[in-house]
Amino acid sequence: MDGERHPARGGPVTPDLVLGVDIGTTATKAVAFSADGAEHGSGEAPHHLDEPEPGAAVQDPEAVYEAVGDAVRDALAGLDPARVAALSFSSAMHGLLALDDRGDPIGPLITWADSRASDVARELRARDGALDLHRRTGTPVHPMSPLVKLAWLRRARPSLHAAAHTWGGIKELVLARAAGARVADTSCASGSGLLDVAAGTWDPEALGIAGITPAVLGEPVAPTTVVGRLRETGWGLPTGVPMVAGGADGPLANLGVGAVRPGVAACSIGTSGALRVTVERPAVDPRGRVFCYDLTDGRWVVGGAVTNGGLVLDWARETFGRDVDDLLAAAAEVPAGADGLLALPHLLPERAPHWDVGGAGALVGLHRRHTPGHVVRALLEGVCLQLRLVLDSMREAGFEVDEVRATGGFARSTLWRRLLTDALDLPVGFPTVDQGSAFGAALLGMQGVGLLPPGPDALVDVAERIPLGETRHPGPDARVHAARLPLFERAHDVLGPVIDRL
């Protein structure tokens, strides 16, 4: 095959693959892609989420860094490393990490799921100008936001706040250590609450609230920027391979599953969930119910994330002592509407579209006849109805959606596929590429090193050719979910004040 090394003639190898490295919440995945979207090797390494105190959700950054190396090495198994033209990165949004002057961590990685800044978020949301801040930065004022986390650390952990030489996320650590780059791609930065998304520069008011200056943040760079060359010797690659900044996992999932034209949304449900549509200019709705994050030059995504996705199944598995497949099978035997059981699946403080800073879940209408299967069915329906509220908020903001492309661990379940399709009441396609964020990162890397032409149109052209393995259409149960949606939202509004006082 062209580009391969032939022992008989010893010809040079043409670099034709880009490793998309997706640093997620529970694992890092690395996938070697060619420009036609074909996968040539993949690797995955898990990492643990710690909860050392109430509200905390942190990770050991050194363990995550090691997982990156493990995933890259696994992806290269059976491949000639000389074929790798670049590495490009995706990472989970809203992480916050303090680094010292050598670029080493001086505390844990505080993840998006950490809720210890809830009180600070309430105070900031009550201030005049909170909605204007949301509109400028694209990021809701919520405990997930690094802006709010920094304001909390300034008050609750002043020594750590003062000691940081640099603030960033896990990707900043990876790029600094593996390539010597002190940068912040505008995609991840747009989820920090610190960046003016239209201007692409750090926002002075946000910096003041956080108690920092631009000097402690990386230089904002475009996601297709080659930020340096690999100097890490333990990843199974020769040093000198170009390192491309890449972006945030949510926006990159839109690119990686082909949800790049108006009207086509990307939906992902893993530990959490999200629904996003790609737009050509940054915007946030007047009520502040959606976010706006940078994807690449000339493209942004608008939508909402829900905190509680697959983690409701983890809770059910731990609570009922039954494996997930067994619980899903039991839930599949329960009719739509769960025999009158309604769940607010807010096991962690929920995000879009209400951006709650506290709260908890609830089971409404619980009777003796209800079984674990009913509870699981109600929880899964609740997750899908929460995403329907996000969809309706996007429409209220003026962004029409008529088709959805969905990925994530949930897609392995026929029940979940059917529930999502019926709850959204839209056709839902399931792309053959199941590592959307990694593929999105790889596409940016291909642009960065010239394997694809520059500009968003070239990315759109490739992304729109991603085939669908299945497309589902709403069935009769869509009417059941439509009737329950107003009850679901009213339950949130009525029970919220009660839950907050418990």
Side-chain angles (χ1 to χ4, degrees):
M1 189 164 94
D2 288 346
E4 296 285 2
R5 184 179 299 277
H6 298 276
R9 63 175 187 264
V13 174
T14 301
D16 62 338
L17 305 178
V18 170
L19 273 178
V21 183
D22 178 27
I23 310 169
T25 303
T26 57
T28 291
K29 305 175 184 70
V31 187
F33 289 101
S34 51
D36 61 0
E39 294 187 16
H40 296 261
S42 65
E44 181 173 346
H47 27 81
H48 184 62
L49 189 67
D50 296 313
E51 300 176 82
E53 62 178 283
V58 299
Q59 291 180 310
D60 176 357
E62 296 290 359
V64 178
Y65 185 84
E66 290 179 10
V68 172
D70 292 342
V72 169
R73 285 191 300 273
D74 286 350
L76 293 170
L79 289 177
D80 185 341
R83 292 185 64 188
V84 177
L87 296 97
S88 185
F89 293 84
S90 162
S91 68
M93 302 187 76
H94 313 304
L96 183 66
L97 178 63
L99 303 176
D100 64 18
D101 56 1
R102 299 183 303 276
D104 293 326
I106 55 175
L109 171 66
I110 306 175
T111 72
W112 59 269
D114 195 294
S115 61
R116 288 174 292 175
S118 293
D119 288 343
V120 174
R122 287 189 186 92
E123 294 174 16
L124 293 175
R125 288 175 71 87
R127 290 172 38 148
D128 290 339
L131 186 54
D132 289 337
L133 182 65
H134 177 177
R135 289 171 179 159
R136 280 200 318 278
T137 65
T139 304
V141 178
H142 186 271
M144 71 176 185
S145 165
L147 162 64
V148 179
K149 292 185 177 79
L150 282 164
W152 170 73
L153 286 169
R154 187 183 189 183
R155 178 186 304 176
R157 307 285 194 275
S159 58
L160 175 61
H161 187 280
H165 182 267
T166 303
W167 288 103
I170 190 63
K171 190 197 289 185
E172 280 78 4
L173 170 65
V174 172
L175 293 179
R177 184 172 290 179
R182 188 169 175 264
V183 297
D185 73 82
T186 54
S187 182
C188 285
S190 68
S192 69
L194 300 166
L195 189 80
D196 183 320
V197 290
T201 56
W202 300 117
D203 184 85
E205 181 188 358
L207 295 178
I209 294 170
I212 60 174
T213 68
V216 300
L217 298 171
E219 176 191 357
V221 298
T224 54
T225 302
V226 176
V227 298
R229 294 184 177 273
L230 181 67
R231 62 187 191 186
E232 168 66 64
T233 59
W235 288 3
L237 285 167
T239 57
V241 174
M243 301 270 283
V244 177
D249 60 350
L252 288 181
N254 274 61
L255 179 61
V257 302
V260 287
R261 69 167 176 82
V264 181
C267 180
S268 56
I269 305 178
T271 304
S272 58
L275 191 69
R276 304 164 301 269
V277 65
T278 305
V279 299
E280 296 183 3
R281 60 182 60 86
V284 171
D285 66 301
R287 298 172 63 190
R289 291 164 68 91
V290 299
F291 57 58
C292 181
Y293 301 141
D294 185 71
L295 170 56
T296 187
D297 291 339
R299 294 292 188 277
W300 291 261
V301 298
V302 170
V306 301
T307 301
N308 301 280
L311 69 81
V312 303
L313 274 179
D314 291 337
W315 174 85
R317 174 180 51 79
E318 294 166 359
T319 301
F320 296 123
R322 295 163 62 177
D323 66 50
V324 167
D325 289 341
D326 183 34
L327 290 170
L328 286 171
E333 296 297 319
V334 176
D339 282 333
L341 184 62
L342 181 71
L344 297 179
H346 307 158
L347 304 183
L348 291 176
E350 194 47 275
R351 291 184 283 177
H354 301 107
W355 302 103
D356 295 329
V357 298
L363 291 171
V364 183
L366 184 64
H367 288 273
R368 184 177 179 181
R369 68 177 181 272
H370 290 134
T371 66
H374 287 88
V375 173
V376 172
R377 173 86 187 209
L379 287 168
L380 300 185
E381 289 183 350
V383 171
C384 294
L385 289 173
Q386 192 74 31
L387 287 165
R388 174 59 185 267
L389 293 180
V390 174
L391 171 64
D392 290 348
S393 297
M394 293 163 63
R395 287 170 166 165
E396 290 172 11
F399 303 102
E400 190 51 54
V401 177
D402 50 40
E403 178 188 341
V404 174
R405 293 192 171 196
T407 60
F410 90 104
R412 292 189 289 270
S413 165
T414 301
L415 172 62
W416 266 56
R417 288 186 181 220
R418 186 170 73 246
L419 284 178
L420 181 68
T421 304
D422 289 341
L424 297 182
D425 199 15
L426 284 172
V428 178
F430 297 87
T432 54
V433 174
D434 65 354
Q435 299 295 342
S437 297
F439 185 42
L443 288 175
L444 295 181
M446 291 171 196
Q447 275 201 328
V449 296
L451 293 178
L452 287 177
D457 291 342
L459 294 173
V460 169
D461 181 59
V462 173
E464 287 194 320
R465 296 200 298 268
I466 295 169
L468 297 177
E470 178 192 19
T471 298
R472 299 189 70 97
H473 295 272
D477 288 347
R479 292 191 295 272
V480 177
H481 299 305
R484 287 168 68 83
L485 184 66
L487 300 175
F488 179 79
E489 186 158 30
R490 181 160 173 74
H492 169 274
D493 295 341
V494 171
L495 293 177
V498 177
I499 291 171
D500 285 343
R501 292 179 65 86
L502 293 177

